[in-house]
Amino acid sequence: MKKLTAFLIIFLLVLVSATYLYYSHWRNEYRATVAMPHVPASAALVCEAKDIGKQWRDFQRTAIAQNLQQLPCFTALQRIFCFGQALAGSDGILNGLPLIVSVHSLGEEQVGYLCYLSTHHTATQKLIEKLLFRISKDKSYRKGIRKYHNYNIFEISNDSTQQHLFYLKQGSYLVVSTSSLLMEEVTQSLAGQALVKPLQLKKSTSKQGALHINFDQLPQLLRVYLRNDVVPLASPTWAKAGLLTLQFADHHLSLSGYITGQSATEPKFIGALSGQEPGSIEVGPYIPQNTALLRHYTFSNPGALLVALQRYQHTPSSLASRQSFQGMATTLDPLLAGEIAHCFLETKKNASRTQQLMLLRTSNAEELTAILESARVISPFSAKSSNSFTPIYTVTPKALQAWLPCQLCKGFIARYLASVDDYIVLFNSQQAFQTWTKQYRQKQTWMYHAARNAWLASTLDQAHVRYFVDVQKSWPQLVQMLKPTWRQAVATHTQALQQLARGSVQLLCGQENGCYVNLMLRHKRATTVSTHTTFPTLKSSTDCLTIRSTFQAGESILAGPFLVKSHRTKSHYTLLQDTQHQLCFLDPSGKLLWKRALEGPIVTPVFEIDFFKNNKVQYLLATDKKLHLLDYYGRKVARYPQPLPTSKHPMQLNVIDYNKSKNYRFLLATAWGDIYLYDKHYRLLAGWKPRSLKKSFTGAPFHLRVRGNDYFVALQDSGDVHILNRRGDYWPGFPINLGAKALSPLWVKKGINTTQTQLTALIAGGHQLTFNLSGTLEKRLLLPQASETPLILCPERLAGKQYVLVRPGEQSMAVLDQTGELIFQKSYGTHQLQYYVTHGKQLYVSINVDKRLAYFYDDKGQPLRTSPLPSDRIAIVRNPKTKKLTVCNCYDQQCCHYVLDY
């Protein structure tokens, strides 16, 4: 009994000690997080840096900073740093120094800064020590002091530079500024003056730097730069405040984080979006290439969005207009399919009007048009245009101003209307209609432009709001928004500033953390590639590639390479498609065998089938409009091409052969969750007309045959798993939900029965789940540090028997094995990874989409080439004769074949 009592006492002492140590650690961490200086509420922006010396030096080396240095507002902050370094007499004195800077508007002409230095930090103490020593020795510096609200404000000045520096002690911070007015405002706030309140901020834990935004004060800051009549239009009143983390590289600058702060008395834009389901961008094929500014919205409940939007906009008059519009709106709103795109087209400098158009995705464009025509809101346009491929109507502008699209895109006046596929298109002028018609007919839209399509692809898959700004195309409008003094300053540096080619903003409203926002500024260097660039000659002994053939296309290559087999030889042939939608077929030596024009871009993989069961190969593929079946000579096969069952994109394709009898089934799946199943003669099968699962898929649904039973497997982005039989009915145990959003398509390890066949998925939250065809969860693995950036499952591409995990990021890319152990990591921006296994060795091909470069690595992450290979897309197959790998690389207008010696 005594031993038990002694043990319990010792156990309690250990427990109490551990609890106290944990509490102390938590308290220190919490204090470090919430400890922020007393920042006046007039601050529009508050910037944090963990090591201002290193981060400022690294940023100045980027291409973006080199262009921004042309602006006076950028150099003003730099002068403060230079003045501090001059005082300390040391260039490296700012290294390791944590710094907080708040940005304030000083009237309508100037910007002021407050710098906050932690006196508890060693780097700050060294800086202060050097400053005091320098001032005491150098007689050119003068030091003064004055009291304001019982606080001492110190002043340091230099007669030769006419520079003044003010500072005061505030708790554990030293507050420094070149503005005496801002220092007085700090003391007013510290003294508890009723008109000056502190800004409530929490310190960021980001090591890269962070930016706090005070949206209430942002309009005042913008007044320094923008015309007064423009400020209300340009001020983003999305929320109360936000905290964004900063990341930058040579060619881009990114800010991402959450904005919050919604009150009933002061509704903000993110409040109007709450409760709406986000969506993806489907409108790419219809956005003209000369679009300078694009605003994109997705939603799920148009009626609720309009009510919330009018509350945010404080527009009671619009509510009255809505009542007169209500009868027609009740029939129009249900036809809106949740996507609106507002395009501002490139306009000449002295143009009297900006050309604009608005694209509305609908569930039935013909019905919506008929409702508007019967209500006499639109009427057929009498003038005929040779370029018009669709009827055009004139619009009574005032009749639509109370409708959701016009309320969401304030300032847009609809004067003409047309339709295309599932979209209604509104125009503010006849010229806008003619411009759009011409570019759409010639496929000069964002989807068919590599750089702009990549720009769209770089955005969040799901979002409520997206803004895209093409700086060069929108330059005349951007310059006109500035005040005359700034307009003149910017005009002298037009060429340099236009190198900041593109900017984008995305908003995604959540239920718990507020609204996620991502801002990206891209430098022109990221996308500019000479059209005359050719492939390098490979002579170095460390190169793993030996060039075999080169093909020069007449236009830039849009899709491919697709490496396919033929009945003529065991070696692989190559299918390509250029920007004019010409399909090119190359033999194994790289010789062009034929060209064939298709009606649109290829949007699916290319499948090899034996349609006539005579051991001759045909090629099945889909464009954005039709399903094609072509033979070895490029000729149409049977009754193909066939129209796709729906115009909803993107479309996914798979080919199924139940028992290797060549009685093929063609599976088509839409982004809306509809699955169509046809026989090889393109006849719809019972139970699949379509089989509607109502949500988008992570990848194309596929077929498994286990012990004579057929399983159709579909994983949705929502985490729902559906396994169906041939009739489209569920197998027992399905559907199931994985408990979180799915991040990658399924990886399958086929077994001898349903319980031994394993399917692996990655879900949000960092979990890797494995389940079987009976719906039983067999394994749940929490991957290390998976919450930082979502992982991607990357299957091996030759045999498909293995996979690795990839964690992409703005600053690095990590490759991990199936258990989450790090294989290697590279310090560069987001890449696309391809994984291969050859002769028992691992091969990794990493493609930088922005810089258009491909890197080759071995199983330890060591480079196999002395320099990256210029590349847009790569495909790799094993040569059946030599057993070596053939690398097919497409870059601009060239397609090169290499032999990989590895």
Side-chain angles (χ1 to χ4, degrees), residues 243-247 254-258 516-519:
L243 173 59
L244 310 180
T245 58
L246 169 68
Q247 291 181 326
S254 172
L255 288 165
S256 59
Y258 287 90
Y516 178 80
V517 60
N518 176 264
L519 294 87

Side-chain angles (χ1 to χ4, degrees), residues 596 598-601 603-604 609 611 619-630 635-647 649 651 653 666 668 676 678-684:
R596 180 181 180 83
L598 301 180
E599 68 284 344
V603 296
T604 66
I609 68 171
F611 188 87
Y619 307 108
L620 184 76
L621 56 94
T623 66
D624 57 344
K625 298 186 184 303
K626 295 181 181 180
L627 183 68
H628 289 263
L629 185 60
L630 304 173
R635 299 174 301 196
K636 302 176 184 178
V637 175
R639 300 173 63 184
Y640 290 86
Q642 292 282 355
L644 296 180
T646 175
S647 60
H649 301 299
M651 186 71 70
L653 173 66
F666 300 155
L668 289 165
Y676 300 82
Y678 297 83
D679 66 10
K680 70 177 185 180
H681 300 292
Y682 208 65
R683 294 177 297 210
L684 261 174

Side-chain angles (χ1 to χ4, degrees), residues 547-563:
I547 195 165
R548 194 185 71 189
S549 65
T550 300
F551 170 73
Q552 183 76 31
E555 304 288 340
S556 295
I557 297 171
L558 176 67
F562 304 103
L563 297 177

Side-chain angles (χ1 to χ4, degrees), residues 281-298:
I281 296 181
E282 309 293 342
V283 74
Y286 311 100
I287 302 174
Q289 283 188 14
N290 71 332
T291 297
L293 170 66
L294 171 66
R295 299 195 294 185
H296 186 269
Y297 304 93
T298 56

Side-chain angles (χ1 to χ4, degrees), residues 762-777:
L762 294 181
I763 63 173
H767 287 90
Q768 179 178 277
L769 305 182
T770 300
F771 57 96
N772 59 33
L773 287 177
S774 299
T776 303
L777 180 64

Side-chain angles (χ1 to χ4, degrees), residues 509-793:
C509 285
Q511 297 296 327
E512 298 178 358
N513 297 325
C515 183
Y516 178 80
V517 60
N518 176 264
L519 294 87
M520 177 74 75
L521 182 64
R522 288 181 175 270
H523 193 271
K524 191 174 182 180
R525 184 182 300 177
T527 55
T528 299
V529 179
S530 171
T531 57
H532 303 291
T533 305
T534 57
F535 290 95
T537 303
L538 304 174
K539 297 181 179 180
S540 173
S541 60
T542 59
D543 283 328
C544 62
L545 300 178
T546 302
I547 195 165
R548 194 185 71 189
S549 65
T550 300
F551 170 73
Q552 183 76 31
E555 304 288 340
S556 295
I557 297 171
L558 176 67
F562 304 103
L563 297 177
V564 296
K565 295 179 182 178
S566 168
H567 54 278
R568 292 300 184 95
T569 176
K570 292 183 178 180
S571 297
H572 287 81
Y573 290 69
T574 306
L575 274 168
L576 306 168
Q577 188 183 38
D578 63 24
T579 52
Q580 296 300 315
H581 305 147
Q582 293 278 344
L583 188 63
C584 304
F585 189 61
L586 313 180
D587 70 7
S589 67
K591 178 183 176 182
L592 177 66
L593 297 182
W594 50 262
K595 271 188 177 184
R596 180 181 180 83
L598 301 180
E599 68 284 344
I602 299 174
V603 296
T604 66
V606 176
F607 295 88
E608 306 156 9
I609 68 171
D610 183 0
F611 188 87
F612 298 106
K613 302 182 182 181
N614 59 359
N615 296 320
K616 292 186 178 181
V617 178
Q618 295 85 36
Y619 307 108
L620 184 76
L621 56 94
T623 66
D624 57 344
K625 298 186 184 303
K626 295 181 181 180
L627 183 68
H628 289 263
L629 185 60
L630 304 173
D631 66 6
Y632 174 84
Y633 299 100
R635 299 174 301 196
K636 302 176 184 178
V637 175
R639 300 173 63 184
Y640 290 86
Q642 292 282 355
L644 296 180
T646 175
S647 60
K648 296 178 179 179
H649 301 299
M651 186 71 70
Q652 296 170 321
L653 173 66
N654 223 329
V655 174
I656 296 158
D657 188 358
Y658 291 127
N659 53 6
K660 309 300 180 184
S661 63
K662 300 182 181 178
N663 293 319
Y664 301 103
R665 300 291 184 261
F666 300 155
L667 184 151
L668 289 165
T670 71
W672 279 258
D674 293 336
I675 302 178
Y676 300 82
L677 191 64
Y678 297 83
D679 66 10
K680 70 177 185 180
H681 300 292
Y682 208 65
R683 294 177 297 210
L684 261 174
L685 301 178
W688 304 87
K689 298 183 178 181
R691 181 64 167 90
S692 181
L693 300 180
K694 299 180 180 179
K695 296 178 183 177
S696 59
F697 304 108
T698 58
F702 59 92
H703 167 264
L704 289 174
R705 169 164 278 214
V706 179
R707 284 200 166 182
N709 292 322
D710 295 294
Y711 299 84
F712 288 82
V713 184
L715 173 63
Q716 295 179 314
D717 295 333
S718 59
D720 294 313
V721 181
H722 304 266
I723 298 188
L724 312 169
N725 61 21
R726 282 198 193 189
R727 297 182 300 276
D729 299 326
Y730 283 110
W731 279 99
F734 291 91
I736 62 174
N737 185 271
L738 302 180
K741 180 180 178 180
L743 302 179
S744 294
L746 288 169
W747 182 79
V748 180
K749 182 179 180 181
K750 192 173 180 180
I752 60 175
N753 54 37
T754 56
T755 57
Q756 293 187 22
T757 298
Q758 297 180 335
L759 300 94
T760 300
L762 294 181
I763 63 173
H767 287 90
Q768 179 178 277
L769 305 182
T770 300
F771 57 96
N772 59 33
L773 287 177
S774 299
T776 303
L777 180 64
E778 296 186 342
K779 187 188 300 182
R780 176 187 289 267
L781 176 64
L782 179 61
L783 299 168
Q785 301 179 353
S787 60
E788 297 178 0
T789 305
L791 290 168
I792 298 172
L793 191 151

Side-chain angles (χ1 to χ4, degrees), residues 260-295:
T260 56
Q262 178 74 7
S263 65
T265 56
E266 296 181 1
K268 301 292 183 180
F269 186 47
I270 62 172
L273 298 174
S274 62
Q276 298 289 331
E277 292 293 329
S280 57
I281 296 181
E282 309 293 342
V283 74
Y286 311 100
I287 302 174
Q289 283 188 14
N290 71 332
T291 297
L293 170 66
L294 171 66
R295 299 195 294 185

Side-chain angles (χ1 to χ4, degrees), residues 823-826 844 856-863:
I823 299 175
F824 66 88
Q825 184 167 343
K826 296 296 177 182
Y844 302 92
F856 291 75
Y857 299 112
D858 63 14
D859 53 357
K860 296 180 180 179
Q862 298 300 315

